[in-house]
Amino acid sequence: MALIEQVLGSIKQSTDGEFTRKIGRVCRVIGLMIESNGPSAFVGERCLIVLPSNETVEAEVVGFNEERVLLMPYGETTQIAPGCLVKGTGKMLQVPVGEELIGQVLDGLGRPLSGERLVTGKRYDVQRKPPNPLNRPRILDALSTGVRMIDGLLTVGKGQRVGLFAGSGVGKSTLLGMIAKRSSADINVIALIGERGREVKEFIEKELGPEGMARSVVIVATSDQPPLVRLKGAYTATAIAEYFRDQGKEVVLMMDSVTRFAMAQREIGLATGEPPTSKGYTPSVFAMLPQLLERSGTAASGSITAFYTVLVDGDDMNEPIADAVRGILDGHFVMDRALANRGQFPAIHVLKSISRVMNQIASPAHKEAAQTFRSWLATYIDAEDLINIGAYKKGTNPAIDTAVDKYPYLLTFLKQSIEEDAAFEQTMTHLSHIARGES
């Protein structure tokens, strides 16, 4: 009611021209898109739409159509009627940041899902520029993830950005939970974008657990939320991770998934009239991906090591989003459905995966042991069909004979149960023993 009185006061004290600049009125609603005559606003500005019930709905300016303002709501459009007042705030969306966020579950706009009021001392704009490239320190130190396969064969550096490419149901959420609980980072920021509502509590209680939650901030934008909220969820998580990085902390940012972020932007782009291009994705999708992904990484005060999951339809690694993301990030881990069906976890296909910074952070002995491991694994996989049908006779090829002898030890290294904790030093010792033929 106070907002209505404030708006009416503006009408009495303003000329028609001044009022049009400050206040607008809804004139059209089509699907998710709201058109209004006024106010004078900028793209990305947060606006308030006053409903007939005197309640307000938050919306954001996403474009313009001649003299009309195009808005998309953070909530539902069900009660919005022609003539509803639209008031600009002059600000972009901001989220609260601070130590108080640790252990909290927030929605895509940075509000606690518990409904409790969260009081922090500072706020960050959700959309910020990446650090200056010349101010980014080189990645020189390894991050211990607690996952033996990753630490030994696909070593991740502090500030590296990695993509987890997977179809549905191959264990990516379980893998993220393992990293969140066992990594050497100071804090985790986890964004669940477009997830099923059922899976949220399951991930928090089963995969993350009290141990992981005690040093995590979880941002949730479920699949039933408007596309703008799903989009902002990714930006909110990144802004919170940037805050902790600015405090000098080593942060792990996990986003599941970038594909659903891209799908949300596709919905917004199509609603605003953008032409569809590759598989229906609009040009703005491919412009926004690097703007989001480049914000993580190293900075002068700390680092954000990021793990972004990418859903690949039909396990097609060349679909548009997977191809675009792979070209931006500093490495890609391919999760293979065939390995998952065999009961191997984590189901990462080592020979199809790469860490682009491993060579500059691993010791010569580590790199040599990892290369020996990969060589034996590749030799065995190349000859696996012949071995399985009995067409290969021992003694025909010494390299295959060695690979067959070593394969049980390779498989033991690659497999790791959810409960098993693999310290970085133990992983290095185990890998070196296999490479030297000692186990």
Side-chain angles (χ1 to χ4, degrees):
M1 195 66 185
L3 181 59
I4 290 286
E5 293 174 356
Q6 179 183 348
V7 171
L8 292 177
S10 299
I11 295 175
K12 293 176 182 178
Q13 297 172 11
S14 310
T15 64
D16 290 343
E18 290 172 341
F19 175 69
T20 302
R21 286 194 293 271
K22 295 178 181 178
I23 303 293
R25 287 187 180 273
V26 172
C27 60
R28 190 182 187 194
V29 177
I30 298 181
L32 300 170
M33 190 60 57
I34 302 166
E35 292 188 17
S36 69
N37 291 316
S40 178
F42 55 84
V43 173
E45 182 174 342
R46 189 169 60 89
C47 296
L48 298 175
I49 301 174
V50 184
L51 302 177
S53 61
N54 292 336
E55 296 179 354
T56 59
V57 172
E58 290 184 298
E60 184 173 302
V61 178
V62 294
F64 303 96
N65 182 10
E66 295 179 351
E67 295 182 359
R68 288 184 176 179
V69 180
L70 304 180
L71 303 112
M72 191 163 282
Y74 294 142
E76 300 295 331
T77 60
T78 48
Q79 296 186 49
I80 297 176
C84 285
L85 297 178
V86 182
K87 184 177 187 300
T89 64
K91 296 179 181 179
M92 300 179 73
L93 178 66
Q94 295 181 323
V95 292
V97 292
E99 299 289 332
E100 298 86 350
L101 296 182
I102 299 174
Q104 295 284 342
V105 181
L106 312 176
D107 67 9
L109 305 179
R111 302 171 300 199
L113 278 179
S114 63
E116 297 177 3
R117 188 166 178 265
L118 187 63
V119 179
T120 62
K122 198 169 185 180
R123 300 181 74 87
Y124 265 31
D125 289 334
V126 297
Q127 288 180 268
R128 309 173 78 225
K129 292 184 178 179
N132 187 319
L134 296 180
N135 294 335
R136 286 184 182 267
R138 291 176 56 201
I139 300 173
L140 300 174
D141 299 317
L143 175 83
S144 173
T145 64
V147 180
R148 186 166 48 237
M149 176 194 295
I150 295 176
D151 289 346
L153 306 174
L154 300 164
T155 312
V156 173
K158 293 178 180 178
Q160 185 175 352
R161 300 160 305 153
V162 178
L164 292 175
F165 293 76
S168 57
V170 295
K172 61 183 182 302
S173 296
T174 304
L175 179 59
L176 291 180
M178 284 182 67
I179 296 172
K181 286 188 287 189
R182 301 194 173 108
S183 78
S184 60
D186 299 319
I187 190 166
N188 306 303
V189 179
I190 304 170
L192 304 177
I193 309 300
E195 284 288 333
R196 305 173 187 89
R198 173 189 64 81
E199 293 180 338
V200 173
K201 194 167 185 179
E202 184 177 309
F203 176 82
I204 293 171
E205 294 184 355
K206 180 184 174 185
E207 312 298 353
L208 202 54
E211 179 187 355
M213 197 64 200
R215 60 190 186 109
S216 300
V217 182
V218 180
I219 294 87
V220 176
T222 51
S223 57
D224 61 302
Q225 295 291 307
L228 192 59
V229 175
R230 282 178 269 141
L231 190 79
K232 293 301 178 184
Y235 288 123
T236 295
T238 306
I240 292 171
E242 287 171 327
Y243 166 78
F244 287 109
R245 179 179 64 184
D246 292 345
Q247 308 309 304
K249 296 185 182 294
E250 304 294 343
V251 184
V252 165
L253 170 64
M254 302 178 184
M255 190 174 295
D256 186 12
S257 70
V258 172
T259 306
R260 294 192 179 111
F261 165 83
M263 288 177 175
Q265 177 56 31
R266 176 173 64 182
E267 290 181 51
I268 295 170
L270 292 174
T272 56
E274 278 192 83
T277 53
S278 182
K279 280 199 173 181
Y281 288 102
T282 57
S284 62
V285 172
F286 301 100
M288 293 181 78
L289 281 172
Q291 292 173 5
L292 174 70
L293 303 180
E294 285 290 345
R295 286 170 60 180
S296 55
T298 58
S301 55
S303 69
I304 300 174
T305 306
F307 295 89
Y308 299 100
T309 68
V310 182
L311 294 171
V312 285
D313 294 333
D315 297 327
D316 178 16
M317 287 294 295
N318 295 316
E319 66 96 25
I321 299 303
D323 199 43
V325 171
R326 189 168 57 244
I328 298 169
L329 299 179
D330 307 316
H332 55 271
F333 299 168
V334 179
M335 302 191 74
D336 194 307
R337 190 176 301 278
L339 296 179
N341 292 339
R342 291 182 187 180
Q344 178 178 318
F345 179 81
I348 298 175
H349 197 305
V350 173
L351 302 179
K352 294 181 180 179
S353 306
I354 190 170
S355 169
R356 293 180 181 170
V357 304
M358 181 175 175
N359 284 337
Q360 65 192 45
I361 61 176
S363 67
H366 179 186
K367 287 185 284 188
E368 184 179 353
Q371 185 55 44
T372 300
F373 188 107
R374 281 174 169 268
S375 176
W376 286 339
L377 184 62
T379 300
Y380 181 87
I381 289 177
D382 287 343
E384 187 173 21
D385 290 341
L386 294 176
I387 295 168
N388 289 339
I389 64 174
Y392 175 76
K393 292 184 180 180
K394 190 172 183 179
T396 304
N397 186 320
I400 296 178
D401 291 342
T402 302
V404 171
D405 292 339
K406 299 294 182 185
Y407 186 68
Y409 305 111
L410 305 184
L411 199 58
T412 300
F413 185 87
L414 294 175
K415 285 186 175 182
Q416 182 176 343
S417 69
I418 300 172
E419 295 78 18
E420 184 182 357
D421 191 1
F424 194 84
E425 295 77 13
Q426 293 175 341
T427 296
M428 295 302 103
T429 301
H430 191 174
L431 181 62
S432 64
H433 284 173
I434 291 175
R436 293 198 300 263
E438 297 175 4
S439 61

